[in-house]
Amino acid sequence: MPVCKKCGSSKNIKSGKVNDKQRYECKECGCHFMEGDARTNEKIKAKKALCVLLYSHLFFSYVSKDFQHASITCV
C-alpha cells in the first residue's frame, strides 16, 4: 500500500482512477494522491521561495524609486 505524500501515513483508501492510474485518499489528513506521482513538496517549496524572492526584489525596487535611492542600498 502506498504512503501519503503529505503526512506519510499508510492508512489510505482507493478513491477512483485518473488517466488509468489509481487514486488514493489518506484517512489521516484527507489528502488525495496517486501512486508514482513525481511531484514532491521540495519542488513546490522551491517554486514558492523563488516567487517570494522575485516579489521582494520588485518591492524593494519600487520603494527605492520613491525615495530616490539605488535599489542595491535598499536590499
Side-chain angles (χ1 to χ4, degrees):
M1 200 61 134
V3 295
C4 176
K5 299 193 183 296
K6 187 174 181 182
C7 70
S9 173
S10 60
K11 296 178 182 177
N12 47 50
I13 57 174
K14 291 182 179 182
S15 181
K17 287 191 174 188
V18 176
N19 295 333
D20 294 327
K21 292 184 179 180
Q22 184 63 53
R23 184 174 182 221
Y24 296 93
E25 179 182 358
C26 178
K27 285 186 168 183
E28 298 289 322
C29 68
C31 178
H32 286 89
F33 62 94
M34 295 188 320
E35 189 174 16
D37 190 3
R39 294 176 293 182
T40 62
N41 284 339
E42 287 77 26
K43 289 181 183 178
I44 294 170
K45 287 179 185 176
K47 287 181 182 179
K48 285 182 180 179
L50 180 61
C51 289
V52 168
L53 180 66
L54 290 173
Y55 179 74
S56 65
H57 178 69
L58 291 174
F59 175 75
F60 283 122
S61 296
Y62 178 74
V63 170
S64 67
K65 287 179 186 175
D66 283 349
F67 291 103
Q68 299 174 349
H69 286 40
S71 61
I72 296 171
T73 60
C74 290
V75 177

